Amino acid sequence: MSKILVTGGCGYIGSHTIVDLVDHGFEVISADNLSRGFGEMNDKVSKLLGKSIHNYAVDLSDAAATRTIFEANPDIEGIIHFAAYKSVPESVDAPLMYYKNNIGSLINILECAKEFGVKNVVFSSSCSVYGNADTLPVTETAPLKEAESPYAATKQMGEQICADFVKGNPGFKIVLLRYFNPVGAHESTLIGEMNQRPENLVPIVTQTAIGIRSGMTVFGDDYDTRDGSCVRDYIHVMDIAHAHTLALQKSIENALPSGCEVFNLGTGEGVTVLELIKAFESVSGLKLNYNIGPRRAGDVIKVYADNTKAKTLLGWQPGYDITTMMQTAWNWQQALAKETAQ
Ligand code: WQD
């Protein structure tokens, strides 16, 4: 059974990916210093899987500490590297913290991969590398625009570091996965997106619906789109998770065309903010309390994926539509509320 190190394993996408990896026969260990991840997420994943997943609470920007994980686990066959800060506004306020953490931990992980001969790596990237793409749907060959934030810059730099690492280390393979907008939660409602003060849309919608927030603002309805609000490609977190499992399997089988392949992970469908809210209202049976406010600085107007490459080369097929995404997000928020009430 191949052992996989998942960094950021106590985070939103990391925890869901651990579930999918174990469901597909991998042995998994996690590394997460819990600066952004939640320890209870690890407990919940272990409960969901009926087996404990060991988490190394290690700061991966500390090279020596990172090394201890590999010394203790010489049989690691692959790495999925999620661990990174990901708040766009926070990165604008604290760019050095973002470069030190996101780039520093990637470099430490790759140095250990090289030293310990771990030849299969998956890097968590983002559609934010595209910025405002000129043509839609956006393909992996689209030119990368100037990063809109230090966060997006760390993803662009991270991809370049991975590509250069592979060029200088034949035999090593790194798959770059560019997520569009991950939403929703595992159907068990045992795991989901944990964020007390979210900045992204869906948890703000569900926190408004459950009453944690009194209302929310739609940032602009005067864009050149179907209904004036921004368009995004929302993709269920379990679809994203399974893409990582497939990417690792293909990498281990040496079944990909080159040592560094990049894939878009999106449904290929653009959905506006107002359409998402309507889908949520139909699923929850609630009228959401929102107002239309000014545009948010830095917002991309429209972005959605061409996912042909992931479908053909990874055999990936996203299975959740926007209604189900909203249903699982709402179920998760209600489960959280019940837990807090206990
Ligand atoms: C989506 C749409 C907002 C909140 C995300 C992540 C970012 C990065 C890239 C990973 C936009 C609108 C939002 C609100 C709103 N992730 N909105 N009212 O901007 O696509 O960025 O993907 O790499 O970390 O956040 O996602 O959810 O912030 O916004 O109207 O209260 O919802 O204007 O149009 P975004 P988002």
Side-chain angles (χ1 to χ4, degrees):
M1 187 190 282
S2 301
K3 180 185 275 188
I4 306 299
L5 168 63
V6 174
T7 74
C10 297
Y12 175 39
I13 306 175
S15 55
H16 286 77
T17 300
I18 289 175
V19 171
D20 196 78
L21 285 167
V22 172
D23 281 350
H24 289 83
F26 285 98
E27 184 188 351
V28 177
I29 54 172
S30 165
D32 194 313
N33 69 352
L34 307 180
S35 66
R36 301 296 162 94
F38 293 82
E40 68 260 37
M41 199 58 85
N42 186 267
D43 303 338
K44 291 181 171 183
V45 164
S46 302
K47 183 176 170 197
L48 181 53
L49 292 169
K51 61 164 70 175
S52 84
I53 300 291
H54 184 78
N55 180 58
Y56 291 84
V58 161
D59 177 357
L60 298 172
S61 61
D62 174 338
T66 303
R67 215 172 162 281
T68 62
I69 301 169
F70 292 83
E71 283 166 335
N73 297 275
D75 52 347
I76 293 172
E77 189 166 355
I79 303 165
I80 302 182
H81 184 49
F82 290 106
Y85 298 150
K86 72 161 190 88
S87 163
V88 171
E90 183 186 46
S91 76
V92 174
D93 295 341
L96 296 184
M97 182 178 86
Y98 269 66
Y99 291 122
K100 186 172 180 182
N101 183 68
N102 292 8
I103 303 301
S105 40
L106 172 62
I107 290 171
N108 289 339
I109 284 291
L110 292 181
E111 284 183 335
C112 286
K114 178 170 178 147
E115 181 183 348
F116 292 87
V118 182
K119 295 187 182 267
N120 304 288
V121 178
V122 178
F123 175 68
S124 167
S125 190
S126 162
C127 67
S128 53
V129 300
Y130 294 116
N132 261 306
D134 298 327
T135 50
L136 291 173
V138 63
T139 65
E140 290 85 353
T141 55
L144 304 191
K145 296 290 187 69
E146 188 188 338
E148 304 265 343
S149 67
Y151 160 76
T154 66
K155 290 304 180 182
Q156 286 184 353
M157 291 174 193
E159 291 193 359
Q160 188 60 57
I161 290 166
C162 290
D164 291 343
F165 175 82
V166 164
K167 278 192 203 109
N169 294 279
F172 284 80
K173 296 150 284 176
I174 304 184
V175 179
L176 311 176
L177 298 180
R178 291 176 180 164
Y179 315 151
F180 281 68
N181 286 58
V183 298
H186 188 269
E187 57 203 10
S188 66
T189 70
L190 272 173
I191 56 174
E193 191 169 5
M194 293 278 281
N195 192 336
Q196 261 70 15
R197 280 174 308 288
E199 290 147 355
N200 48 325
L201 179 64
V202 172
I204 287 174
V205 165
T206 57
Q207 285 188 359
T208 302
I210 202 115
I212 293 171
R213 305 167 68 104
S214 56
M216 63 163 286
T217 301
V218 172
F219 296 138
D221 69 345
D222 57 352
Y223 288 102
D224 178 17
T225 66
R226 284 193 290 274
D227 58 21
S229 61
C230 291
V231 175
R232 292 289 183 278
D233 186 334
Y234 298 96
I235 174 84
H236 196 277
V237 64
M238 283 313 291
D239 279 330
I240 293 271
H242 190 52
H244 289 75
T245 302
L246 293 170
L248 260 184
Q249 288 168 337
K250 294 290 183 188
S251 179
I252 290 167
E253 292 159 12
N254 289 312
L256 294 173
S258 79
C260 189
E261 289 292 336
V262 56
F263 296 95
N264 285 337
L265 298 185
T267 62
E269 301 291 321
V271 171
T272 71
V273 175
L274 291 170
E275 289 166 346
L276 181 141
I277 289 174
K278 278 194 195 72
F280 177 81
E281 288 180 330
S282 72
V283 150
S284 62
L286 299 171
K287 180 84 187 71
L288 196 69
N289 181 23
Y290 68 90
N291 67 294
I292 305 290
R295 295 180 173 189
R296 179 173 72 173
D299 260 344
V300 164
I301 301 167
K302 269 191 243 186
V303 66
Y304 52 95
D306 178 323
N307 61 11
T308 312
K309 187 178 174 187
K311 285 182 173 175
T312 46
L313 293 188
L314 296 182
W316 183 65
Q317 182 55 50
Y320 295 81
D321 62 13
I322 193 70
T323 305
T324 320
M325 292 183 220
M326 292 302 101
Q327 185 66 67
T328 61
W330 182 226
N331 294 347
W332 164 246
Q333 187 69 66
Q334 295 175 96
L336 273 183
K338 268 200 207 99
E339 205 178 275
T340 323
Q342 276 159 2

